[in-house]
Amino acid sequence: PRVFAEPYSDDDCQKKRCEVFCFGGIPRYILCQDTFFDLNGNKADIAYSDVQIENETVCLPATDCQKLAALAEKLAKGQSFVCVDFCIDSNEHIWFEKMTFTPESGIRLWADESMDRRLGDMLILPIKNPIPKYEGYDRLKKDLIAKGR
């Protein structure tokens, strides 16, 4: 495990916040300033229910999308789903912010209800016992039986 910190930046008003939605460790969509993009910088046909899609002033160059996707893919490796958050400052430097496993607490609505199914179909959950077996239990049980308890 590692802990790392980046220098403080008060350049907030100049930053673009971007979230890369990764399914199975693979980047699929990028959300930037309430607008979804595909990995080529084209606006995607996805929107939250409380956001106007007509916002034409937001753009995300394909080169930024490719850089964000490459970084997110490294960070999302091995995850069923994760949203990797970055910001791009006024100097076009990409800063890592955080990884979110339940964006919007999982309760924000999509503009089109079919998005639940479309995005849900991209989600592949690992197959394993949801309750991990405690290895020490069997040993503890044998010790208690041996002691007559």
Side-chain angles (χ1 to χ4, degrees):
R2 294 180 186 168
V3 175
F4 64 93
E6 295 176 344
Y8 172 76
S9 171
D10 60 357
D11 194 20
D12 276 344
C13 62
Q14 300 298 322
K15 290 181 183 178
K16 280 193 255 185
R17 300 216 181 288
C18 300
E19 302 172 22
V20 183
F21 284 64
C22 300
F23 294 84
I26 301 168
R28 301 289 184 161
Y29 295 102
I30 299 173
L31 175 65
C32 184
Q33 296 173 303
D34 286 333
T35 302
F36 280 91
F37 297 89
D38 64 18
L39 301 183
N40 296 315
N42 302 311
K43 289 190 181 180
D45 60 342
I46 305 173
Y48 287 123
S49 62
D50 57 339
V51 175
Q52 297 294 328
I53 294 179
E54 303 88 38
N55 187 354
E56 295 298 325
T57 60
V58 178
C59 68
L60 192 59
T63 54
D64 286 351
C65 290
Q66 292 160 3
K67 289 177 191 174
L68 291 169
L71 291 168
E73 188 169 9
K74 289 178 184 177
L75 294 167
K77 184 177 179 181
Q79 301 297 326
S80 298
F81 173 81
V82 67
C83 193
V84 184
D85 297 7
F86 299 97
C87 66
I88 303 173
D89 67 17
S90 57
N91 296 320
E92 298 301 311
H93 181 83
I94 297 173
W95 297 88
F96 169 74
E97 287 194 328
K98 65 182 186 235
M99 295 172 69
T100 309
F101 296 91
T102 54
E104 306 297 335
S105 301
I107 59 172
R108 195 167 181 190
L109 300 175
W110 298 105
D112 181 355
E113 288 182 18
S114 69
M115 284 311 304
D116 280 327
R117 169 63 68 182
R118 198 161 117 200
L119 296 175
D121 286 344
M122 293 181 196
L123 182 64
I124 300 170
L125 297 174
I127 300 172
K128 67 178 185 179
N129 186 351
I131 302 172
K133 183 178 179 184
Y134 172 60
E135 298 296 329
Y137 176 75
D138 291 332
R139 190 173 45 243
L140 177 65
K141 185 176 176 183
K142 286 178 189 175
D143 288 346
L144 290 173
I145 291 171
K147 291 178 182 177
R149 292 186 188 179

